[in-house]
Amino acid sequence: RKRRNVQTWSARIQSVQSKWDAQLPSLIDSFLQYKRSGGRLEDDQASGTAETFTLLLFDVYGMCFVCIDFSESHLFLQLPGCMYPNTNLLLQGCLSSAPTRVSFAISLRTLELYRRLRVRQPRLSIQAWVRTLCDYHNITYHSKYWQYFSETFDVYLKILRGVDVRVHEALGRTSPHWRARHSCPCCQHKVPGETPLPVSLIGVLDGNQSLKRLNTDPRTFVSDYYIAEDTVNQFKYDVKPRPQKSKQGTDTETPSWSRDVEEATPADGDTDGTCTERWKAAQSDNLKRMWSIYRETGIFLSACRHGLIWWIVDMIESGELAKYPLATINQALDVFDDRLGIGYDIGCSFSATIAKSSIAQKARDKNLRLVVPAFHGYAHKRLCQLSFHPLYVTGFGIEDLETAERIFASFNGLANTTRHASRFHRLQAIDLYARQHDDDKYQELSTFLLGNYKQVNQLLEELPGVIAEFQSGKLPKDTDYHRHLETERQYLLSRRGESPDEEFACEYIQRLIMHQKAKEAHEDAVAYCTLNVPTQSVMHERAEILQQHAFENYQRIQDILHVFENTYSITKRWTPDMPEWQMASKYFATRDYQKALTRLEGLVVARLFELHKMGLSGTGYKLRMHINKSLKTRCKAIQRVLKKFNEAAATLGRPQLEWKNISTYDSLVEFELLRECREDIRCQPWADAANRQASVHNLKLERAKEEQSRLNVEVARLVDWMSHEEITLKNCIVRLQESHSLLTVEVEEMLARRLRQNVAHR
């Protein structure tokens, strides 16, 4: 009778894992020996004296010399000197899913073919791959085939990672964070005598919620792409969360961004939450429901401007919390040089968060500079744009800093195969795809540089003539664009909020109006009861109650008004004929205008985000249709709010807007100008439409010149790196050949791959 295995699933996984770990050095040796021999056995190994055994074999190419049908067996040799069954199989080009009791084998070339297909098309699952092969060879599919292949593929990748470790040791690439420090030669390989750049390294940060996960796994996966969860949690309570603003008139609870309400978001360090609220509005509305289902709710990623990844952080049962960018920035400051420039969707608010965190001094010493990406920046306030948009910040060239969005569009293909995967398999899939992604981005470096050179040359050719046309007939003071920007910045800083006098006047006038209405309501009730005496006792009682309520309400509001006047030492109550009342009433009327403008602005922001999302690659058909319907509905809402805005604008004598103009807005600068209605700024040079357009062109010209200088430096770095790496690999091959190392073939393959990629660069 077969003995029942009473081990739990976790215990069985750990037991098998420990057996594979014990065999791993021997497996790596056998794999390297197989690659060096080209799949051919040595003469003594292939002699007829060796014992034989049979196994079920699966080989995608095997029609010519091995049996594909699982119902038949393939003959293997029992080679001498093999400690484990799988070392024997590896020397013959196969691998099994079991560490000890072997009954099934898969050829290495079948595993390698699937690995290459998987990194090119991450949506290709193991089950789909095995089913395809079964259909191709007319074999009945069984679920055990998928399980066998999955377990064998895990072991195969484990062997490849072990080979990579040995290769890096042979090349001397074992220092901490070596991959991140040398991931992009254009960013990090310094050439002696190169021109210093105002921003030494440009990178991006962002979070994405497509790579969520459901299941658990006792195995751990170690990758130099990942920042450890414990390291991230060191910043868990680094910043205090900002108190949530409750909406009046609603019982809806504002959703928290984590199970732990003490954890802050990246924007909680900012006291002015306008940009923050827009950013939060663009996040998921189903955070709590997501936490009850998923453990990993997405990834937080950092990369250089060329698209090569620095690090990845898993977001655990939360939205985009402050600890994720803080941990990433902290590591970047430790690993990279000074003058680091980072683009982040809420770089404005996150700058204030960093200033209140434990890495504030380190960030100041390293001259960290945060900006917002170009597209997202146009949805921020004008004052924010002047300080954080890359167009207005020196050193970022023509870079749009939307690199993270492009990386996520590529990584979204992993979602289908990782959503229900174990934690181990999810991390393994992300690591595998990230390495291929970086290898592809290295090959595209020269294309990136050439494309930017073309953009720069076009700007340098076209913009001077355009700027000259704008400056024609202008005075020197009208063409001092940097002074215009500084004047505008100072003006907006002075108008960030209501002045104390304006706040006092608005509050006082509100209380006076409430008092007047309550007094009139009481007088009307008294007059009604005096002139219309009810004949019925019930109606008489109701009239007295109505009069009593009106009196009590009037008395309550009058008491509140008395307290307010005593608090502010008001000796003479304002009346409608007084100048103070008239000025306050005029300002109070602008609040309706401001509210309508804020509502209109918010709808346009949402429209900009949805248009951007609909244009991203990786956005599915259903989501595109949903966004399209949402846009149609939002356009109708914009038209309704636009009507209310124009009514309020007509009351104040302010400019009115038309739908044809609103529908083409791609930024919010126009809204910021409309918002300033406390004084007429349209006569200022910086508010003139032609001057503003000329200012933008002038800034683009300056950024183009910066980009040209950076490209010259990056090209020199890439050329020097190619030569340096090729010499390093060739010297390593010579050393390995002299010592007859099994790693020789691996380094030779690495050199051949680099030579192929470098040909495109040259």
Side-chain angles (χ1 to χ4, degrees), residues 517-527 547-548 550-552 554:
K517 289 182 178 180
K519 181 180 180 181
E520 292 175 356
H522 175 248
E523 291 175 350
D524 290 344
V526 172
Q547 181 179 346
Q548 181 67 22
F551 173 75
E552 291 176 352
Y554 169 64

Side-chain angles (χ1 to χ4, degrees), residues 11-38:
R12 289 198 300 270
I13 291 292
Q14 292 174 348
S15 175
V16 172
Q17 187 70 19
S18 62
K19 293 177 182 178
W20 281 120
D21 291 340
Q23 299 181 23
L24 186 60
S26 299
L27 296 177
I28 295 174
D29 291 338
S30 298
F31 176 76
L32 292 173
Q33 187 175 344
Y34 166 79
K35 291 194 68 174
R36 185 178 66 174
S37 65

Side-chain angles (χ1 to χ4, degrees), residues 202-217:
I202 298 177
V204 295
L205 305 176
D206 203 2
N208 180 267
Q209 296 178 352
S210 63
L211 296 180
K212 298 184 281 288
R213 186 191 64 85
L214 291 168
N215 297 327
T216 58
D217 193 321

Side-chain angles (χ1 to χ4, degrees), residues 272 274 278 381-384 386 487-499 502 586-587 590-591 593-595 597-598 601 645 649 652-655 668-684 686-687 692:
D272 180 13
T274 306
R278 292 172 181 168
K381 294 170 55 180
R382 177 61 177 171
L383 180 59
C384 172
L386 292 174
T487 304
E488 182 182 3
R489 182 183 292 109
Q490 294 301 324
Y491 174 81
L492 294 177
L493 281 172
S494 67
R495 293 297 187 180
R496 295 187 72 173
E498 294 178 325
S499 66
E502 289 171 337
K586 182 178 179 181
Y587 177 73
T590 64
R591 285 195 168 186
Y593 173 87
Q594 296 280 6
K595 290 179 180 179
L597 181 59
T598 300
E601 184 182 25
F645 167 80
L652 295 175
R654 299 289 298 178
L668 302 182
V669 178
E670 296 85 351
F671 285 113
E672 295 296 337
L673 294 179
L674 291 171
R675 189 175 299 282
E676 301 305 324
C677 54
R678 280 169 281 186
E679 62 182 81
D680 193 355
I681 60 174
R682 288 171 287 179
C683 60
Q684 298 292 332
W686 59 266
R692 296 180 71 83

Side-chain angles (χ1 to χ4, degrees), residues 614 623-633:
M614 191 165 62
L623 182 55
R624 290 180 191 274
M625 292 299 100
H626 176 74
I627 293 176
N628 189 40
K629 292 180 180 178
S630 177
L631 282 173
K632 292 179 180 178
T633 303

